[in-house]
């Protein structure tokens, strides 16, 4: 029979075993640390199969006691580099001081002899040092030799050729020094500084030569481009990371400068013929970038492809743009940018082709950004109508916008939007064909079980030329085909349905913007603009409702249509405020359209948005009705409660439908607007509060709304009573509140007798608040002493009763009222004392109080917690 130990014994045994395992783990970790420390100085990389956490120490290592990790011998490399750097700097400073200061005190022979000897010595010393294994010292002397050669050049120009042109001499000297330092670096291959220094010096010969001869801007651009091409060649075929990095930086700077020169000349060309020369420069730069991208690694290939695409667009588009008016030039560049998409059928390497496509997208995005200001003016311009509602129908659409934009120079904006929208719509319509064309440029999905076996040349994900088209060879490509049921792409990659939805969303948004801009540029009549915008809202709502049941991942288009419909409705509604009839027609149509969309849409967020918007438009109509009737804002407030009343009825009809709560909350906001309109007149405010209380009470009939709506109704009724009493200038509110308080307290006592667990706030809170709060408000404005005395006495009694019977409502209400009454009575004396005290005393006392509280912070925190717990235990 198996022995089962008692639980306590088994637990103790488990604790002992766990402690032994922890001790064993710590022992093994200590041994592993010692082994790693012993291996680092002697064995840079562990041999295959060697486990550093094994038991035996490597051969030749001294024995060490367990738990003791030997200190690594500190390598003197850091101190050596610091000393060499300081020495090289000091020698460089000395050489510069000698050349600039002491040069004139020596004859021509002495000068030449000194500089030549020092320079030759500095150039020869690294070779000797390298043979002795002193590489760091050799690098320091090579840096000194570089500075000395520059000083030699300066000395030669100052003494031997002082009359020569400085720029031309600098160009020649930099070329000679670049060649010499290249040869020197190749001869002493172990030095890392000479060849990168030669690359830096090679940046200047052509540029300084162009400046020296006073060459025009195109020649300067060609000089910059030639230097960038040389840097690119060095970056591709040079040896050493330092050489390649220096060449990459130099090529980027010089190439960017060449492109900026060509672009500036192309944009300022007087005509198409004048734009040809800078276009040739830009096309040459594009060809150079493509040639570099053909052999460059992945990241550089994409950058090269993007630069090549942008340069080609600037070169080709600049020729027709020079002939077009200013407002239409962007169209020429846009067409060239769209033509770059033909790269999908080219034999360009994959990463470079993606860079070209990125350039195409950048051009399209730039054209769309150019078209945004007029579109924003069309959407936001009607806000100016709010300053003068119903002032009269404007002459045209453009005059109603109140914008000062140069509309004649923006004539191409709707064409740009319509062109891009049409292309996106075509891509959405023929999505499988687009995917098939783009297949050669798409990489493999990461969701596949493993890497594909031996992809063919030109397959996606490789940079080999020849990817001409056809189906992708990757197993996971089904996620990009656009077929129904196709899976998503790899991790971080959107699915085909998502991409298609984004394309459709862009087509919808841009097409809508193009139509709005076309109406503004054509300056259509005001009535036609209103009808057109309202009709567009209806079309967008239809798209949003139709796309509401789209498959997962394809929700971009219906969401875009929903957002655009709301924005268009706001713009059309503001635009309609210019005349009375148009306001009723547009807002009525909008309310009907959104209500119909709410009925047709499926359950979810869009349906709630449609319903909320319909309620908002209905609320606006009631506000317009008050203005039509000539009512003052406070007189129109009760009329504004019509829509909230309808939302209460609609909520009772919908019950637990997800749309019910948003609709009711929107109606509550309309009621809040009505309260705000009635604030200026107390009698109307009391009426509006009472009506809101009725609506809240009607909502509280429903069990799911009762916890919130019931308290809200009681609060609104009490507020309405207080406002009514204040409006009637009642000086003794107790005559009205005490008859309510006494029966309310009796009812609360009966409730507590039947249910001792009932909260004191439910039983006594409403009755006490009905008298205490109005009396407190009057007491603060009462100069007499009788009411504060009676109110303070009553509050004291209530507080004591609350503490005696542990009733939270009595304690807090009574204590708060008592404290405020006492503060009211002491306020005049506090003011007198504060006026008599020195001005430095209050800040000092405040600081002392903060110090005391800070020093006893933990104790105060514990006291606060105990007080909170004590209050929480009360009923």
């Amino acid at each position: 029979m198996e022995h089962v130990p008692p639980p306590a014994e088994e637990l103790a045994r488990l604790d002992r075993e766990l402690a032994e395992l922890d001790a064993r783990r710590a022992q093994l970790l200590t041994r592993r640390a010692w082994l790693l420390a012993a291996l680092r100085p002697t064995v840079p990389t562990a041999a295959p199969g060697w486990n550093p956490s094994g038991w035996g120490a490597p051969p030749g290592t001294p024995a060490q006691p367990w738990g003791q990790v030997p200190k690594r011998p500190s390598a003197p490399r850091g101190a050596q580099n610091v000393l060499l750097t300081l020495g090289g700097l000091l020698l460089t400073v000395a050489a510069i001081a000698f050349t600039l200061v002491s040069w004139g005190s020596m004859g021509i022979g002495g000068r030449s002899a000194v500089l030549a000897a020092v320079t030759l010595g500095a150039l020869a010393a690294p070779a000797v040092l390298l043979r002795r294994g002193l590489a760091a010292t050799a690098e320091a002397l090579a840096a000194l030799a570089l500075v000395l050669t520059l000083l030699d050049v300066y000395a030669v120009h100052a003494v031997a050729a002082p009359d020569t042109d400085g720029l031309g001499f600098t160009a020649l000297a930099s070329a000679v020094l670049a060649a010499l330092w290249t040869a020197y670096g190749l001869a002493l291959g172990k030095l890392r500084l000479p060849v990168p220094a030669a690359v830096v010096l090679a940046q200047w010969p052509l540029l300084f030569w162009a400046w020296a001869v006073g060459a025009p801007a195109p020649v300067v651009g060609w000089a910059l481009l030639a230097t960038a091409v040389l840097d690119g060649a060095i970056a591709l075929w040079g040896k050493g990371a330092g050489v390649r990095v220096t060449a990459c930086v130099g090529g980027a700077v010089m190439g960017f400068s060449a492109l900026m020169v060509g672009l500036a000349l192309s944009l300022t060309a007087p005509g198409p013929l004048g734009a040809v020369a800078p276009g040739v420069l830009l096309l040459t730069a594009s060809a150079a970038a493509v040639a570099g991208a053909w052999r460059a690694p992945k990241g550089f290939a994409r950058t090269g492809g993007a630069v090549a695409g942008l340069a080609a667009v600037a070169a080709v588009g600049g020729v027709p743009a020079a002939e077009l008016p200013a407002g239409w030039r962007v169209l020429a560049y846009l067409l060239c940018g769209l033509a770059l998409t033909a790269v999908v059928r080219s034999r360009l390497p994959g990463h470079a082709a993606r860079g070209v496509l990125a350039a195409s997208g950048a051009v399209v995005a730039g054209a769309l950004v150019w078209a945004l200001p007029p579109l924003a003016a069309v959407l936001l311009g009607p806000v100016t109508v709010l300053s003068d509602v119903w002032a009269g129908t404007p002459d045209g659409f453009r005059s109603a916008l109140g914008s000062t934009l140069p509309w004649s120079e923006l004539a191409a904006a709707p064409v740009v939007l319509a062109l891009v929208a049409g292309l996106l719509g075509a891509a959405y319509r023929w999505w499988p064909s687009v995917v098939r064309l783009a297949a050669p440029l798409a990489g493999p999905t990461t969701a596949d079980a493993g890497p594909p076996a031996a992809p063919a040349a030109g397959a996606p994900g490789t940079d080999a030329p020849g990817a001409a088209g056809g189906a992708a060879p990757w197993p996971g490509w089904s996620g990009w085909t656009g077929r129904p049921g196709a899976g998503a792409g790899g991790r971080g990659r959107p699915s085909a349905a998502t991409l298609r939805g984004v394309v459709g969303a862009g087509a919808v948004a841009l097409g809508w913007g193009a139509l709005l801009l076309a109406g503004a540029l054509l300056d259509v009549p005001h009535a036609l603009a209103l009808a057109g915008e309202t009709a567009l809202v209806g079309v967008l709502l239809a798209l949003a409702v139709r796309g509401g049941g789209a498959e997962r991942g394809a929700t971009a288009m219906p969401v875009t249509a929903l957002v655009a419909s709301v924005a268009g409705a706001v713009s059309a509604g503001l635009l309609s405020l210019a005349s009375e009839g148009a306001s009723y027609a547009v807002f009525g149509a909008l309310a009907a359209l959104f209500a119909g969309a709410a009925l047709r849409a499926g359950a979810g967020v869009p349906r709630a948005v449609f319903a909320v918007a319909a309620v908002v438009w209905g609320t606006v109509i009631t506000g317009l009705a008050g203005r039509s009737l000539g009512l003052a804002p406070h007189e129109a407030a009760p009329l504004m409660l019509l829509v909230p009343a309808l939302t209460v009825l609609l909520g009772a009809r919908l019950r637990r439908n997800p749309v019910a709560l948003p609709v009711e909350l929107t109606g509550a906001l309309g009621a809040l607007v009505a309260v705000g309109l009635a604030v200026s007149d107390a009698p109307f405010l009391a009426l509006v509060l009472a009506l809101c209380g009725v609506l809240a009470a009607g909502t509280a009939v429903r069990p799911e709304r009762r916890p919130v709506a019931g308290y809200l109704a009681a609060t609104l009724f009490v507020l309405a009573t207080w406002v009514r009493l204040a409006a009637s200038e009642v000086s003794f509110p107790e005559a009205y509140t005490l008859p309510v308080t006494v029966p309310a307290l009796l009812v609360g006592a009966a409730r507590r007798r039947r249910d001792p667990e009932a909260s004191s706030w439910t039983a006594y809170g409403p009755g006490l608040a009905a008298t205490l709060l109005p009396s407190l408000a009057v007491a603060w404005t009462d100069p007499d002493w009788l009411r504060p005395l009676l109110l303070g006495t009553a509050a004291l009694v209530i507080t004591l009763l609350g503490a005696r019977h542990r009733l939270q409502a009595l304690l807090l209400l009574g204590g708060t009222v008592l404290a405020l009454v006492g503060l009211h009575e002491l306020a005049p004396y506090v003011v007198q004392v504060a006026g008599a005290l020195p001005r430095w005393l209050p800040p000092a006392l405040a600081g002392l109080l903060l110090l005391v509280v800070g020093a006893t912070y933990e104790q105060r925190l514990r006291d606060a917690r105990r007080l909170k717990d004590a209050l929480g235990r009360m009923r």
Side-chain angles (χ1 to χ4, degrees):
M1 181 175 180
E2 185 179 357
H3 172 68
V4 178
E9 182 181 349
E10 186 178 2
L11 180 61
R13 183 184 302 174
L14 290 176
D15 289 339
R16 286 194 300 271
E17 291 179 358
L18 289 174
E20 291 174 358
L21 288 175
D22 291 338
R24 180 61 174 165
R25 174 179 172 80
Q27 202 175 45
L28 292 175
L29 288 175
T30 303
R31 181 65 177 174
R32 181 180 184 275
W34 180 86
L35 291 172
L36 289 176
L39 285 172
R40 283 193 188 103
T42 57
V43 185
T45 305
W50 170 257
N51 183 9
S53 61
W55 279 96
T61 57
Q64 294 285 344
W66 278 42
Q68 180 179 354
V69 180
K71 296 183 178 179
R72 296 179 58 188
S74 60
R77 292 296 181 183
Q80 179 187 13
N81 291 335
V82 171
L83 293 176
L84 291 175
T85 302
L86 289 176
L89 288 176
L90 291 175
L91 288 176
T92 302
V93 171
I96 294 174
F98 170 76
T99 304
L100 297 179
V101 179
S102 302
W103 184 257
S105 62
M106 301 178 64
I108 184 67
R111 302 169 189 173
S112 301
V114 170
L115 272 180
V118 175
T119 303
L120 289 176
L123 289 172
V128 178
L129 293 173
L130 286 176
R131 285 197 296 271
R132 295 176 178 268
L134 302 175
T137 308
E139 290 286 354
L141 288 178
L144 175 63
L146 173 62
V147 176
L148 288 175
T149 54
L150 295 177
L151 293 175
D152 287 338
V153 171
Y154 166 76
V156 169
H157 180 265
V159 176
D163 298 329
T164 58
D165 180 48
L167 290 175
F169 186 85
T170 303
L172 178 61
S174 58
V176 173
L177 287 178
L180 290 176
W181 276 95
T182 301
Y184 182 75
L186 294 176
L188 301 177
K190 294 183 179 181
L191 292 179
R192 293 175 293 179
L193 179 63
V195 180
V199 174
V200 174
L201 291 171
Q203 308 301 311
W204 310 113
L206 291 179
L207 180 60
F208 282 125
W209 168 81
W211 284 351
V213 300
V219 177
V220 175
W222 282 104
L224 292 169
L225 180 59
T227 306
V229 171
L230 175 63
D231 289 330
I234 296 173
L236 288 175
W237 290 291
K239 295 182 178 180
V243 175
R244 293 187 175 186
V245 170
T246 305
C248 284
V249 174
V253 174
M254 293 298 176
F256 179 77
S257 302
L259 290 174
M260 290 299 101
V261 171
L263 181 61
L265 293 174
S266 178
L267 292 176
T268 57
L273 292 179
V276 172
V280 173
L281 173 63
L282 292 171
L283 279 179
T284 306
S286 176
V290 169
W294 204 281
R295 292 178 173 269
K298 177 173 63 174
F300 291 98
R302 290 183 181 178
T303 304
V307 171
L310 293 175
V313 169
V316 179
V319 176
E323 184 68 21
L324 294 173
W328 290 90
R329 293 182 179 179
V330 66
L331 192 60
Y333 293 106
L334 176 61
L335 292 175
C336 293
L338 293 173
L340 291 179
T341 55
V343 73
V344 299
R345 305 301 296 171
S346 69
R347 298 177 62 84
L348 200 64
H351 294 297
R354 295 188 192 108
V356 175
L357 287 180
S360 174
V363 172
V364 174
L368 295 179
V369 169
W370 174 82
L372 281 182
L375 180 59
V378 172
L379 290 175
L380 303 178
V383 176
T384 57
V385 181
L386 290 174
S387 60
D388 197 4
V389 177
W390 294 354
T393 304
D395 297 332
F397 188 14
R398 201 182 300 171
S399 61
L401 300 177
S403 177
T404 58
L405 287 176
W407 293 101
S408 59
E409 299 180 6
L410 300 171
V415 180
V416 169
L417 295 179
L419 178 61
V420 179
L423 292 176
L424 292 178
Y428 180 82
R429 172 64 180 82
W430 290 285
W431 182 251
S433 301
V434 173
V435 171
R436 187 169 57 255
L437 290 174
L441 298 182
T445 63
T446 58
D448 302 329
T462 66
D463 282 341
W474 302 103
W477 185 255
S478 60
W480 291 79
T481 57
R483 297 190 302 268
R491 182 186 308 170
R493 171 175 293 174
S495 65
T498 301
L499 290 177
R500 188 181 186 187
V502 171
V503 170
V508 170
L510 296 178
W512 169 62
L515 291 175
L516 291 181
L517 267 180
L521 287 167
L522 296 176
D523 198 15
V524 298
H526 183 259
L528 182 58
L530 285 177
E533 285 204 42
T534 307
L536 282 177
V537 171
V539 173
L540 292 170
L541 286 175
L543 286 175
V545 171
R546 182 181 177 183
E551 61 181 274
R552 185 177 182 182
T555 58
M557 189 168 69
V559 169
T560 303
L562 174 61
V563 174
S565 65
V566 174
V570 172
S571 179
L574 292 175
L575 194 65
S576 69
L577 295 178
S579 63
E580 184 176 2
S583 300
Y584 283 109
V586 170
F587 279 105
L590 292 177
L593 287 173
F594 278 88
L599 293 176
R600 294 293 302 274
V605 175
R607 187 175 188 182
V609 173
F610 296 146
V612 166
V615 173
V616 171
W617 309 141
T619 305
V620 174
I621 292 174
T622 57
L624 295 176
R627 184 179 178 88
S628 297
L629 296 175
L631 301 177
H634 64 274
E635 295 174 338
L639 185 62
M640 294 284 293
L641 295 177
L642 179 60
V643 173
L646 293 176
T647 59
V648 170
L649 297 176
L650 185 59
R653 175 69 176 84
L654 295 174
R655 288 289 177 180
R656 297 187 181 276
N657 192 296
V659 181
L661 182 59
V663 168
E664 292 180 84
L665 290 178
T666 308
L669 290 178
L672 187 61
V673 172
V675 172
L677 293 176
V679 166
S680 59
D681 189 273
F684 271 93
L685 179 59
L687 174 61
V688 172
L689 289 173
L691 292 176
C692 291
V694 172
L695 295 179
T699 305
V701 173
R702 297 160 52 194
E704 68 273 11
R705 300 284 186 261
R706 187 171 301 154
V708 176
Y711 287 108
L712 180 60
T715 303
L716 289 172
F717 283 132
V718 172
L719 286 176
T721 303
W722 293 347
V723 172
R724 181 67 260 182
L725 293 177
S728 302
E729 298 181 356
V730 174
S731 57
F732 294 98
E734 293 82 4
Y736 298 90
T737 58
L738 282 176
V740 176
T741 296
V742 173
L745 293 177
L746 294 176
V747 172
R751 167 77 181 274
R752 288 273 297 176
R753 187 176 295 110
R754 290 195 308 270
D755 184 11
E757 297 298 324
S759 171
S760 61
W761 289 101
T762 304
Y764 305 117
L768 291 175
T771 294
L772 290 178
L773 297 183
S775 298
L776 178 64
V778 176
W780 267 75
T781 59
D782 190 355
D784 200 1
W785 58 272
L786 182 59
R787 176 178 279 108
L789 176 61
L790 295 176
L791 181 60
T793 303
L796 177 60
V797 172
I798 293 172
T799 304
L800 295 176
L801 288 175
R804 172 66 178 81
H805 297 285
R806 305 180 60 82
L807 299 176
Q808 191 182 93
L810 276 68
L811 180 63
L812 292 181
L813 279 175
T816 303
V817 172
L818 181 60
L820 292 176
V821 170
L823 179 62
H824 173 264
E825 294 303 311
L826 291 176
Y829 304 102
V830 173
V831 172
Q832 292 178 5
V833 172
L837 291 176
R839 293 191 175 183
W840 57 266
L841 189 57
L845 293 176
L848 181 61
L849 176 63
L850 291 177
L851 288 177
V852 173
V853 172
T856 60
Y857 176 75
E858 294 296 334
Q859 182 62 36
R860 303 286 78 79
L861 195 60
R862 285 193 293 270
D863 294 342
R865 289 195 184 115
R866 282 198 295 269
L867 178 60
K868 176 186 175 183
D869 294 339
L871 288 175
R873 288 191 295 268
M874 292 183 178
R875 287 292 175 184

